[in-house]
Amino acid sequence: APVSRIRNFSIIAHIDHGKSTLADRLLQQTKTISERDMKAQVLDTMDLERERGITIKLQAARMNYQGEDGEQYVLNLIDTPGHVDFSYEVSRALAACEGALLVVDASQGVEAQTLANVYLALENDLEIIPVLNKVDLPGADPERVKQEIETIVGLDCSNAIEASAKAGIGIEDILESIVETVPEPEDNTKKPLRALIFDSYYDSYRGVIVYFRVVDGTLSRRDRIRLMASGKEYEIDELGVLSPHQVEVDELHAGEVGYISASIKAVADARVGDTITLVKRKAEEPLPGYVEANPMVFCGLFPTDSDRYEDLREALEKLKLNDAALQYEPETSSAMGFGFRCGFLGLLHMEIVQERLEREYNLDLITTAPSVVYRVTTIDGEVLNIDNPCELPDPQAREKIEEPYVKVEMLTPEEFVGTLMDLCQTRRGDFKDMKYLTEGRTTLVYELPLAEVVTDFFDQMKSRSRGYASMEYQLIDYRVNHLVKLDVMINGDKVDPLAAIVHRDQAYYVGKALAEKLKELIPRHQFKIPIQAAIGSRIIASASIPALRKDVLSKCYGGDISRKKKLLKKQAKGKKRLKAIGTVDVPQEAFMAVLKLN
Ligand code: GDP
Ligand code: MG
């Protein structure tokens, strides 16, 4: 299609405000996808979404639409991931567009995630079309929500569209508005090729499938390409568009969106944000905005059964093919044996990887508590990045420790402001700003150590606000704090994976709470088990688990058999995820105990 008939857009929405439903509607209205295929697709993604509370991406779809002016348009919908851990990916997907639909649930209003994504869209100079969704609901109040968008986001809502993705209201208006409002791509067909990679995935038959937007020039299937960040060169095996299934084409020019396969071995070789150019006519500069993946959270992964170390290595290798941000290296611990130290973009990313390892590769893992990366300056002036608390240099050897800080922005109904401020205060937060936006909407801005946010901060925020508050965070800087290493001894053995880095002022409290918590979580054994918390050689807290007196079954000797079975089952279940440390069996929950103190 000529550039003047192409529109590239994405959809920005808070979780559950209707992004997927609206995308499906647009595909259906433009006859890109049949009724039958749509049902299948919707069903496929449902379970995972519900479980994780995240939106699974549809990646990209090309729709043909006849405008009211009678012209044929090509509308490319480029999907964005729906979670803060992936905000870099979101920003690259938005950079591939000229416009965005801002979908807001008209019965709810603006949420923190909506805001964060709108800021990213504005940074990328996108034209934004506000869509008030779910107007079919009796509680919908589109006028109030428009007001809210104008006040909070500063966006003119006079042309906002009232819609219901579910009932099919306003869909034609949305399509027409995309044609009218979203700018056409610049006609840069004559320039040397530059195409922005906004997504990629690994296919075991064809290698990596790369999704891109051509920004300058033309790409044809016979071209030899070069990826400017990775420096690698490839022959194209397949060039195509997504309608929404992959359909091969001969050529794509500036403004168009498509995919290639080129026998690329891992997504790390064709990362989101990289620029594709031609070997025979290279672009001078890559497109702006490329950033290396930078893991923020690290944890140890150990197989409960040490014989499965090699299986874990293979599984991580396979996951890595499809995950450029995942990092891992072997870690050996006297307590845990052989495992891996892994780095993730954030907590959700970490949970997704753990879950896939267990579900898809059938591994039983012990995961140690997540740690952020501390920047330690030694007395020799050397700067070390420490992502494992047990590797923190001794106090005599270090000059200072800096820890990463994030800016957290919360949106909450006014009534929860007090309890949320209290939460931030106990998590070493610095108050920055508070604004009453509209009736029932307040923003609260704090700067907090990332270490305090990767614990159960999000869960706490949700439960304290009965689910009404939402939050976003972004890394701002590193700050010096008085931090100490807290060691834990079980039965006299120091257990490295239980070590934590905490603020000096909280060390006593954390040590005591942790010892008590471990006492609760570690099952009784035939012998008494002392638990101690220490800073250096100083014991600051202790507790002990009394010895088991009787066999657990003797309690119901002669009792009814079903109760006995239940008990055995309970034991067997508890047994699944235990790690023997010396003579003590330590359950998985104990390794996460430090996150759940209150
Ligand atoms: P996403 O998380 O933004 O992708 O949201 P979904 O598209 O998955 O929608 C979340 C829920 O809202 C689902 O149960 C949808 O059926 C429902 N939903 C979406 N759009 C509408 C709408 O216009 N009206 C009503 N009543 N429900 C909707
Ligand atoms: Mg969804």
Side-chain angles (χ1 to χ4, degrees):
V3 166
S4 62
R5 310 265 175 70
I6 300 175
R7 300 291 182 272
N8 297 315
F9 73 103
S10 72
I11 307 179
I12 297 172
H14 188 72
I15 276 159
D16 276 348
H17 283 203
K19 181 166 97 166
S20 305
T21 314
L22 178 60
D24 286 341
R25 272 291 169 194
L26 297 176
L27 295 181
Q28 197 187 12
Q29 185 94 351
T30 54
K31 308 209 164 46
T32 311
I33 186 166
S34 70
E35 198 82 27
R36 209 187 65 223
D37 283 353
M38 193 172 113
K39 286 217 180 78
Q41 178 182 329
V42 170
L43 286 180
D44 267 0
T45 58
M46 237 18 184
D47 289 353
L48 255 167
E49 287 203 11
R50 222 183 265 130
E51 270 172 42
R52 296 243 127 259
I54 51 169
T55 290
I56 307 292
K57 297 196 315 159
L58 71 102
Q59 289 162 327
R62 172 179 167 134
M63 299 173 251
N64 294 312
Y65 171 70
Q66 178 164 14
E68 275 167 17
D69 57 8
E71 300 282 358
Q72 281 295 330
Y73 290 90
V74 168
L75 311 183
N76 289 307
L77 166 58
I78 294 173
D79 203 6
T80 56
H83 191 275
V84 48
D85 284 2
F86 306 105
S87 69
Y88 168 69
E89 282 76 3
V90 176
S91 85
R92 294 307 82 205
L94 294 175
C97 301
E98 277 79 23
L101 301 174
L102 168 62
V103 175
V104 181
D105 184 334
S107 70
Q108 304 278 330
V110 175
E111 299 288 351
Q113 197 180 33
T114 329
L115 267 184
N117 286 341
V118 170
Y119 295 149
L120 287 176
L122 292 172
E123 273 169 32
N124 283 293
D125 291 325
L126 302 198
E127 196 63 44
I128 298 176
I129 304 170
V131 175
L132 289 306
N133 191 33
K134 308 201 187 184
V135 292
D136 61 302
L137 289 178
D141 188 351
E143 287 311 317
R144 174 183 67 83
V145 175
K146 276 186 215 171
Q147 271 293 314
E148 221 176 81
I149 296 175
E150 294 200 337
T151 326
I152 303 178
V153 188
L155 212 62
D156 174 21
C157 279
S158 50
N159 291 322
I161 300 167
E162 299 187 9
S164 166
K166 194 168 177 181
I169 302 168
I171 308 301
E172 194 61 33
D173 293 344
I174 292 173
L175 290 166
E176 201 49 41
S177 174
I178 292 169
V179 166
E180 279 168 21
T181 322
V182 176
E184 61 184 65
E186 268 180 57
D187 188 357
N188 295 329
T189 309
K190 296 280 175 312
K191 294 187 181 171
L193 178 75
R194 291 200 297 178
L196 174 65
I197 300 181
F198 62 81
D199 205 351
S200 59
Y201 74 91
Y202 176 78
D203 175 296
S204 45
Y205 298 104
R206 297 180 292 170
V208 176
I209 308 295
V210 176
Y211 294 101
F212 58 87
R213 147 81 193 266
V214 184
V215 177
D216 300 331
T218 302
L219 178 60
S220 95
R221 74 177 356 153
R222 284 165 303 277
D223 284 329
R224 208 176 141 74
I225 55 163
R226 180 184 173 88
L227 300 176
M228 296 184 82
S230 77
K232 301 204 166 152
E233 297 185 354
Y234 301 93
E235 301 289 342
I236 296 178
D237 298 327
E238 212 180 305
L239 172 71
V241 296
L242 306 139
S243 60
H245 307 290
Q246 297 173 348
V247 178
E248 290 194 58
V249 299
D250 285 331
E251 210 173 79
L252 289 171
H253 60 73
E256 292 190 292
V257 172
Y259 76 92
I260 49 164
S261 75
S263 307
I264 301 172
K265 294 210 174 57
V267 293
D269 296 329
R271 268 200 68 221
V272 168
D274 202 346
T275 302
I276 305 171
T277 191
L278 296 184
V279 172
K280 64 172 189 243
R281 192 182 169 212
K282 287 191 197 71
E284 277 175 22
E285 294 276 332
L287 294 161
Y290 178 79
V291 177
E292 295 288 335
N294 191 13
M296 306 254 279
V297 179
F298 286 77
C299 76
L301 293 180
F302 297 88
T304 46
D305 174 358
S306 44
D307 287 347
R308 302 211 55 198
Y309 173 76
E310 278 305 321
D311 295 340
L312 176 57
R313 177 205 295 284
E314 271 173 35
L316 283 168
E317 253 166 40
K318 284 199 188 127
L319 285 186
K320 173 77 190 168
L321 289 176
N322 206 11
D323 187 344
L326 172 65
Q327 280 189 4
Y328 63 92
E329 57 181 48
E331 177 183 3
T332 321
S333 143
S334 54
M336 309 290 280
F338 293 100
F340 293 91
R341 190 82 190 158
C342 303
F344 308 92
L345 294 172
L347 277 190
L348 180 85
H349 184 213
M350 180 177 103
E351 283 171 24
I352 291 173
V353 171
Q354 286 167 3
E355 201 167 300
R356 294 192 61 188
L357 288 169
E358 297 191 338
R359 275 201 203 174
E360 294 168 31
Y361 297 91
N362 206 13
L363 291 159
D364 276 335
L365 298 174
I366 295 288
T367 312
T368 65
S371 167
V372 302
V373 183
Y374 296 90
R375 195 184 282 162
V376 180
T377 308
T378 67
I379 47 173
D380 308 327
E382 200 185 346
V383 179
L384 307 170
N385 286 317
I386 302 290
D387 63 53
N388 192 345
C390 69
E391 285 169 4
L392 189 68
D394 287 336
Q396 313 84 273
R398 59 187 197 238
E399 173 79 32
K400 63 177 179 188
I401 310 179
E402 291 162 286
E403 60 177 328
Y405 265 68
V406 290
K407 180 170 140 197
V408 174
E409 215 167 337
M410 286 178 271
L411 256 180
T412 176
E414 206 180 311
E415 55 185 304
F416 305 117
V417 165
T419 175
L420 291 179
M421 289 180 80
D422 180 57
L423 171 66
C424 293
Q425 231 74 56
T426 61
R427 300 299 171 92
R428 300 193 278 137
D430 292 329
F431 174 80
K432 283 292 144 188
D433 193 19
M434 175 165 75
K435 278 198 204 97
Y436 293 96
L437 297 166
T438 57
E439 208 186 326
R441 289 275 149 176
T442 307
T443 58
L444 206 50
V445 181
Y446 269 85
E447 291 175 359
L448 291 135
L450 176 62
E452 300 282 347
V453 177
V454 301
T455 58
D456 61 343
F457 188 90
F458 183 79
D459 295 341
Q460 281 286 327
M461 177 209 70
K462 280 289 173 198
S463 77
R464 283 172 183 238
S465 66
R466 287 192 264 121
Y468 284 110
S470 56
M471 65 174 266
E472 278 291 322
Y473 66 84
Q474 74 190 89
L475 189 68
I476 42 175
D477 53 15
Y478 272 73
R479 295 184 192 169
V480 179
N481 270 321
H482 201 131
L483 303 172
V484 296
K485 184 172 79 161
L486 188 68
D487 284 313
V488 174
M489 270 89 72
I490 294 179
N491 207 20
D493 295 328
K494 189 152 109 184
V495 185
D496 278 350
L498 288 175
I501 293 176
V502 297
H503 195 274
R504 185 184 54 176
D505 297 345
Q506 292 178 340
Y508 280 87
Y509 161 75
V510 173
K512 198 158 175 295
L514 185 57
E516 287 302 322
K517 191 90 191 172
L518 289 172
K519 177 181 166 184
E520 248 173 63
L521 293 172
I522 297 173
R524 289 189 183 197
H525 285 57
Q526 303 294 341
F527 47 90
K528 184 175 149 194
I529 305 169
I531 297 172
Q532 293 158 312
I535 298 175
S537 56
R538 202 152 36 96
I539 306 290
I540 58 163
S542 51
S544 82
I545 302 169
L548 201 58
R549 271 204 221 104
K550 291 183 221 141
D551 185 281
V552 66
L553 283 183
S554 64
K555 252 191 263 167
C556 47
Y557 177 74
D560 83 279
I561 194 76
S562 75
R563 169 131 189 257
K564 203 184 270 179
K565 270 196 190 137
K566 233 185 228 160
L567 261 173
L568 282 170
K569 219 170 172 181
K570 217 166 147 190
Q571 277 192 323
K573 211 169 154 200
K575 226 170 233 151
K576 212 176 118 201
R577 296 241 249 151
L578 289 171
K579 189 80 188 173
I581 293 188
T583 47
V584 180
D585 287 336
V586 180
Q588 164 67 62
E589 301 82 64
F591 294 98
M592 293 293 166
V594 69
L595 304 183
K596 301 263 154 72
L597 308 175
N598 256 314

